[in-house]
């Protein structure tokens, strides 16, 4: 099979998050906030009549980075947006709650320092202890895996090197602080309980 899964636009997400933070930030390329990304998925950009969600990469390619807010607003006109699955968001739950959230199709939108001392678990990089230095970086908790009778969160990275793992101890330390100073949110889809029940009854996590 040669068909590929359509790719949502990462550059639009970045550019739009700049605009949401404040139009003057468009084109500065100085990073964005966790909060602006969540707002994009849950509220869209009402003043530009942009619905919650993201366009496909084909409609907003990676090399289309707007450096002027007026240009960004113009390119958003009539832009097709794929409807988001996110219908709820809130504070990041405790460890068990995060496992349940991912089993229900949810994710954790998090920001951490990026001066990480990586360990190796199951052939993957693992954030075993919370980083306390370096610039901030946003990643996404998308699943959990059991390795040698221990559970680890699967965290997707946008650097093109796939996912890394996060230990329970690291998550619990950061969750108690709600991933300060960068912040974090749990994002949940519609019918989250139904999705979780389906995975649980089918022999999912436990």
């Amino acid at each position: 099979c040669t068909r590929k899964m359509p790719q949502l636009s990462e550059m639009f997400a970045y550019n739009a998050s700049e605009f949401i933070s404040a139009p003057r930030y468009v084109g500065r390329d100085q990073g964005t906030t966790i909060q602006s990304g969540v707002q994009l998925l849950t509220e869209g950009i009402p003043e530009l009549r942009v619905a919650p969600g993201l366009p496909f990469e084909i409609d907003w390619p990676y090399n289309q980075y707007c450096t002027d807010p007026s240009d960004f607003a113009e390119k958003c006109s009539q832009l097709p947006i794929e409807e988001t699955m996110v219908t709820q968001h809130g504070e990041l739950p405790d460890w068990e709650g995060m496992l349940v959230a991912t089993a229900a199709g949810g994710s954790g939108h998090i920001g951490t320092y990026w001066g990480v001392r990586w360990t190796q678990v199951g052939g993957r990089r693992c954030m075993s202890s919370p980083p306390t230095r370096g610039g901030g970086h946003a990643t996404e908790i998308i699943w959990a895996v059991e390795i040698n009778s221990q559970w680890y969160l699967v965290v997707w990275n946008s650097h093109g090197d796939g996912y890394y793992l996060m230990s329970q101890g690291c998550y619990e330390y950061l969750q108690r602080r709600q991933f300060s100073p960068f912040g974090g949110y749990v994002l949940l889809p519609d019918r989250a309980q139904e999705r979780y029940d389906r995975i649980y009854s089918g022999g999912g996590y436990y």
Side-chain angles (χ1 to χ4, degrees), residues 121-122 145-152:
V121 174
V145 292
E146 187 177 20
I147 302 174
N148 297 328
S149 302
Q150 296 289 325
W151 283 99
Y152 296 87

PDB file of all heavy atoms in Angstrom, residues 121-122 145-152:
ATOM      1  N   VAL A 121      15.768   3.082  28.425  1.00  0.00           N
ATOM      2  CA  VAL A 121      14.821   2.061  28.871  1.00  0.00           C
ATOM      3  C   VAL A 121      14.240   1.389  27.627  1.00  0.00           C
ATOM      4  O   VAL A 121      13.643   2.069  26.778  1.00  0.00           O
ATOM      5  CB  VAL A 121      13.669   2.659  29.715  1.00  0.00           C
ATOM      6  CG1 VAL A 121      12.634   1.587  30.042  1.00  0.00           C
ATOM      7  CG2 VAL A 121      14.209   3.288  30.991  1.00  0.00           C
ATOM      8  N   GLY A 122      14.442   0.096  27.510  1.00  0.00           N
ATOM      9  CA  GLY A 122      13.885  -0.635  26.373  1.00  0.00           C
ATOM     10  C   GLY A 122      14.351  -0.108  25.030  1.00  0.00           C
ATOM     11  O   GLY A 122      13.599  -0.141  24.050  1.00  0.00           O
ATOM     12  N   VAL A 145       3.394   2.627  27.976  1.00  0.00           N
ATOM     13  CA  VAL A 145       3.863   1.265  27.706  1.00  0.00           C
ATOM     14  C   VAL A 145       4.390   0.660  29.000  1.00  0.00           C
ATOM     15  O   VAL A 145       4.883   1.373  29.883  1.00  0.00           O
ATOM     16  CB  VAL A 145       4.965   1.230  26.631  1.00  0.00           C
ATOM     17  CG1 VAL A 145       4.412   1.614  25.266  1.00  0.00           C
ATOM     18  CG2 VAL A 145       6.138   2.126  27.005  1.00  0.00           C
ATOM     19  N   GLU A 146       4.316  -0.652  29.082  1.00  0.00           N
ATOM     20  CA  GLU A 146       4.851  -1.380  30.229  1.00  0.00           C
ATOM     21  C   GLU A 146       6.151  -2.049  29.805  1.00  0.00           C
ATOM     22  O   GLU A 146       6.183  -2.813  28.836  1.00  0.00           O
ATOM     23  CB  GLU A 146       3.852  -2.421  30.731  1.00  0.00           C
ATOM     24  CG  GLU A 146       4.284  -3.098  32.019  1.00  0.00           C
ATOM     25  CD  GLU A 146       3.239  -4.082  32.522  1.00  0.00           C
ATOM     26  OE1 GLU A 146       2.395  -4.518  31.711  1.00  0.00           O
ATOM     27  OE2 GLU A 146       3.280  -4.409  33.724  1.00  0.00           O
ATOM     28  N   ILE A 147       7.228  -1.759  30.517  1.00  0.00           N
ATOM     29  CA  ILE A 147       8.536  -2.335  30.232  1.00  0.00           C
ATOM     30  C   ILE A 147       9.110  -2.881  31.528  1.00  0.00           C
ATOM     31  O   ILE A 147       9.253  -2.146  32.512  1.00  0.00           O
ATOM     32  CB  ILE A 147       9.502  -1.284  29.633  1.00  0.00           C
ATOM     33  CG1 ILE A 147       8.915  -0.692  28.346  1.00  0.00           C
ATOM     34  CG2 ILE A 147      10.878  -1.889  29.368  1.00  0.00           C
ATOM     35  CD1 ILE A 147       9.724   0.451  27.777  1.00  0.00           C
ATOM     36  N   ASN A 148       9.380  -4.174  31.532  1.00  0.00           N
ATOM     37  CA  ASN A 148       9.913  -4.833  32.735  1.00  0.00           C
ATOM     38  C   ASN A 148       9.064  -4.539  33.967  1.00  0.00           C
ATOM     39  O   ASN A 148       9.566  -4.170  35.032  1.00  0.00           O
ATOM     40  CB  ASN A 148      11.363  -4.408  32.989  1.00  0.00           C
ATOM     41  CG  ASN A 148      12.297  -4.832  31.875  1.00  0.00           C
ATOM     42  OD1 ASN A 148      12.090  -5.866  31.241  1.00  0.00           O
ATOM     43  ND2 ASN A 148      13.317  -4.033  31.612  1.00  0.00           N
ATOM     44  N   SER A 149       7.756  -4.666  33.789  1.00  0.00           N
ATOM     45  CA  SER A 149       6.758  -4.510  34.862  1.00  0.00           C
ATOM     46  C   SER A 149       6.621  -3.075  35.360  1.00  0.00           C
ATOM     47  O   SER A 149       6.004  -2.842  36.397  1.00  0.00           O
ATOM     48  CB  SER A 149       7.071  -5.446  36.049  1.00  0.00           C
ATOM     49  OG  SER A 149       7.097  -6.797  35.628  1.00  0.00           O
ATOM     50  N   GLN A 150       7.177  -2.119  34.646  1.00  0.00           N
ATOM     51  CA  GLN A 150       7.033  -0.714  35.002  1.00  0.00           C
ATOM     52  C   GLN A 150       6.353   0.033  33.862  1.00  0.00           C
ATOM     53  O   GLN A 150       6.635  -0.210  32.694  1.00  0.00           O
ATOM     54  CB  GLN A 150       8.411  -0.073  35.269  1.00  0.00           C
ATOM     55  CG  GLN A 150       9.154  -0.644  36.454  1.00  0.00           C
ATOM     56  CD  GLN A 150       8.511  -0.262  37.782  1.00  0.00           C
ATOM     57  OE1 GLN A 150       7.973   0.835  37.942  1.00  0.00           O
ATOM     58  NE2 GLN A 150       8.561  -1.167  38.751  1.00  0.00           N
ATOM     59  N   TRP A 151       5.444   0.952  34.235  1.00  0.00           N
ATOM     60  CA  TRP A 151       4.773   1.758  33.225  1.00  0.00           C
ATOM     61  C   TRP A 151       5.549   3.036  32.955  1.00  0.00           C
ATOM     62  O   TRP A 151       6.117   3.646  33.869  1.00  0.00           O
ATOM     63  CB  TRP A 151       3.347   2.117  33.685  1.00  0.00           C
ATOM     64  CG  TRP A 151       2.401   0.963  33.537  1.00  0.00           C
ATOM     65  CD1 TRP A 151       1.998   0.109  34.516  1.00  0.00           C
ATOM     66  CD2 TRP A 151       1.746   0.552  32.341  1.00  0.00           C
ATOM     67  NE1 TRP A 151       1.129  -0.831  33.995  1.00  0.00           N
ATOM     68  CE2 TRP A 151       0.959  -0.571  32.665  1.00  0.00           C
ATOM     69  CE3 TRP A 151       1.746   1.019  31.021  1.00  0.00           C
ATOM     70  CZ2 TRP A 151       0.185  -1.237  31.721  1.00  0.00           C
ATOM     71  CZ3 TRP A 151       0.976   0.361  30.069  1.00  0.00           C
ATOM     72  CH2 TRP A 151       0.210  -0.759  30.432  1.00  0.00           C
ATOM     73  N   TYR A 152       5.565   3.421  31.682  1.00  0.00           N
ATOM     74  CA  TYR A 152       6.195   4.664  31.248  1.00  0.00           C
ATOM     75  C   TYR A 152       5.243   5.379  30.304  1.00  0.00           C
ATOM     76  O   TYR A 152       4.533   4.745  29.505  1.00  0.00           O
ATOM     77  CB  TYR A 152       7.516   4.390  30.510  1.00  0.00           C
ATOM     78  CG  TYR A 152       8.570   3.757  31.360  1.00  0.00           C
ATOM     79  CD1 TYR A 152       8.632   2.365  31.499  1.00  0.00           C
ATOM     80  CD2 TYR A 152       9.509   4.530  32.037  1.00  0.00           C
ATOM     81  CE1 TYR A 152       9.593   1.765  32.286  1.00  0.00           C
ATOM     82  CE2 TYR A 152      10.479   3.930  32.834  1.00  0.00           C
ATOM     83  CZ  TYR A 152      10.520   2.553  32.950  1.00  0.00           C
ATOM     84  OH  TYR A 152      11.481   1.963  33.740  1.00  0.00           O
TER      85      TYR A 152
END
